[in-house]
Amino acid sequence: MAEGAGRGCMVSYELDAEGRMASVSFQSAAMGALFARFPQALLVHRACAPSGRALYIFLADGPCLAVRGAAGRVVHLAVPRDESARGLARMCEAFRAFNPAWWRTRVLLVGPDLPEPVALGQAFPAAEVRLSAFHVCKHLQEQIHRLGLEHRAEQLLLSTLHGTMCRATESKRREMHRVLSETVPPDLLPRFHAHWLLTDKIWAVHGERSCKKSCDYFMELETVTQGLSQVFSAELFLETCIASLAKYCQNNGSSATPSGPPQAEECIMQSLSDICTESAARLCLSELAVVQKSVQLIGTSVDAVNVQILEDAHRVTQEGLGHCTCHFNQTFQLPCRHIQAVLNSERKTLQPEMLGRRWQKGCDPTQGMQDSVDHLLEDLESPWDESRDKFLAVSSLTAEVSRLLASCSTEEFELRCSTLRALADSWIGPYMQVKL
């Protein structure tokens, strides 16, 4: 399992045999801060995608918790490799690694569809695993709709359930139990698990809320679980999925934001100033700016550090951290965003051997080399406009496409070339005028 950190974000992930992301856990600084303040009760919601994958949403719970925004309760997001006991245990390991206050959790509120509740209980030995009032009410609501009753009978059940949700007193719960027993056909009643209405432990935490807070609580949970489920179901790949989920939480959660850059980033900036020429420092600082605003996924193998910033995946050499497969490092021999992401993650600073000699302070290169460098800097330091941005973006994309074509099989090469051929013809002109 590999871990990474961006500015205010933490990510843990595993790769499958083909090098694709097989599991991922994500947490922003705001999520971690919320859990640190309210670790006593966690609600765990499970959402399934059409692909069969499951998203686990961890939410802070408790009657004293007041949040802003539908996603303001979310403290952790995870997609396990699978839902076996081991898969869920690995997911919980990541949660505990991100949250030192995990041992203070006393209640885990879960739904009836959780495949391995014992695994969660073992991961949080001081906590009691209980069915949540939210999941019980959601289950009852779904079962009522499936009955296909005539409108008046269905509305009676739903309005009684709503009253129970807003004021979960013992009398209200017994009333709901009675209405279910009298309205639902006896052969279908076991599906409802009506006895959950009479289990006091399920309603203990929820019963402490006022009527308004209870209604707001159910509305907030329904909104955020549905919203995240829709985002999760729409994405095909975990690499893009986790970014979309994080964006949803950012747009729909609390306005709290992490303060100032980490100390490690300040050290990198200082080391750039100490050992690089001014021009080289400016180039590297632009790469560091990308690192500061992004989530990086950093995994370690025997001879390399795998770095992925969003969808831009590259490899950094393990020894010396001086080389990366990205275009920036290959062209300029300067520490790119991927190398700086590793430095930031490992709390290291820039070293002279990580950049080409011509960029180091005090270097006295030959005049020919200096002319070459001056020419390069003249181009790089010219004003950045839209056309230049487009050119560099297309150049990078072209290089990546060329690399992929060179490494694929003959059959796949012919298929991809035909796709490029059709795209070029439709954009530029007929076959005789276009050269790929």
Side-chain angles (χ1 to χ4, degrees), residues 30-31 33-43 58-75 109 205 208-210 212-214 216-218 220-221 254:
M31 294 177 184
L34 179 63
F35 178 75
R37 290 178 59 198
F38 301 96
Q40 290 81 9
L42 270 179
L43 186 145
F58 292 74
L59 306 105
D61 208 292
C64 299
L65 179 60
V67 296
R68 290 176 293 169
R73 292 178 175 273
V74 178
V75 297
L109 302 171
V205 175
E208 299 178 30
R209 297 183 176 94
S210 65
K212 182 181 185 309
K213 286 185 177 180
S214 294
D216 291 344
Y217 170 78
F218 279 105
E220 289 168 1
L221 289 180
S254 171

Side-chain angles (χ1 to χ4, degrees), residues 190-408:
R191 300 181 185 176
F192 283 76
H193 297 280
H195 62 280
W196 288 340
L197 289 163
L198 306 180
T199 305
D200 292 337
K201 277 190 175 182
I202 294 176
W203 307 90
V205 175
H206 181 63
E208 299 178 30
R209 297 183 176 94
S210 65
C211 182
K212 182 181 185 309
K213 286 185 177 180
S214 294
C215 293
D216 291 344
Y217 170 78
F218 279 105
M219 185 177 299
E220 289 168 1
L221 289 180
E222 182 65 23
T223 300
V224 69
T225 54
Q226 285 296 318
L228 289 171
S229 295
Q230 290 174 6
V231 173
F232 180 61
S233 298
E235 296 286 353
L236 294 178
F237 303 103
L238 287 186
E239 290 85 347
T240 55
C241 178
I242 200 64
S244 298
L245 291 170
K247 185 176 181 180
Y248 176 90
C249 289
Q250 182 181 13
N251 293 340
N252 295 277
S254 171
S255 59
T257 55
S259 59
Q263 184 68 29
E265 292 172 2
E266 295 179 0
C267 292
I268 293 174
M269 294 170 69
Q270 184 60 50
S271 61
L272 283 170
S273 176
D274 291 341
I275 67 175
C276 293
T277 63
E278 183 180 352
S279 300
R282 285 202 300 270
L283 288 170
C284 294
L285 285 173
S286 67
E287 289 287 282
L288 180 59
V290 176
V291 174
Q292 291 174 319
K293 297 176 182 178
S294 68
V295 175
Q296 305 103 45
L297 310 181
I298 302 176
T300 304
S301 59
V302 175
D303 60 348
V305 181
N306 300 313
V307 179
Q308 180 170 346
I309 298 179
L310 295 181
E311 293 82 46
D312 185 16
H314 290 283
R315 288 169 62 84
V316 175
T317 55
Q318 184 76 275
E319 184 178 357
L321 303 178
H323 301 281
C324 179
T325 56
C326 74
H327 181 73
F328 181 91
N329 179 259
Q330 294 288 315
T331 303
F332 306 133
Q333 287 82 53
L334 285 170
C336 60
R337 64 193 68 176
H338 311 99
I339 291 175
Q340 294 186 60
V342 179
L343 292 174
N344 184 46
S345 175
E346 298 183 357
R347 303 293 187 265
K348 294 181 178 178
T349 58
L350 188 69
Q351 301 301 316
E353 58 269 20
M354 294 179 184
L355 60 155
R357 182 170 173 77
R358 66 175 180 261
W359 298 110
Q360 298 178 20
K361 281 186 175 180
C363 176
D364 184 20
T366 64
Q367 186 60 44
M369 180 181 289
Q370 187 62 52
D371 291 342
S372 176
V373 172
D374 290 343
H375 179 74
L376 176 63
L377 288 177
E378 182 181 350
D379 180 54
L380 289 173
E381 295 175 358
S382 58
W384 289 94
D385 55 25
E386 184 178 1
S387 62
R388 184 177 296 276
D389 266 344
K390 288 180 179 178
F391 174 78
L392 288 178
V394 172
S395 298
S396 177
L397 181 61
T398 303
E400 182 66 12
V401 170
S402 299
R403 184 185 68 80
L404 290 172
L405 286 174
S407 61
C408 65

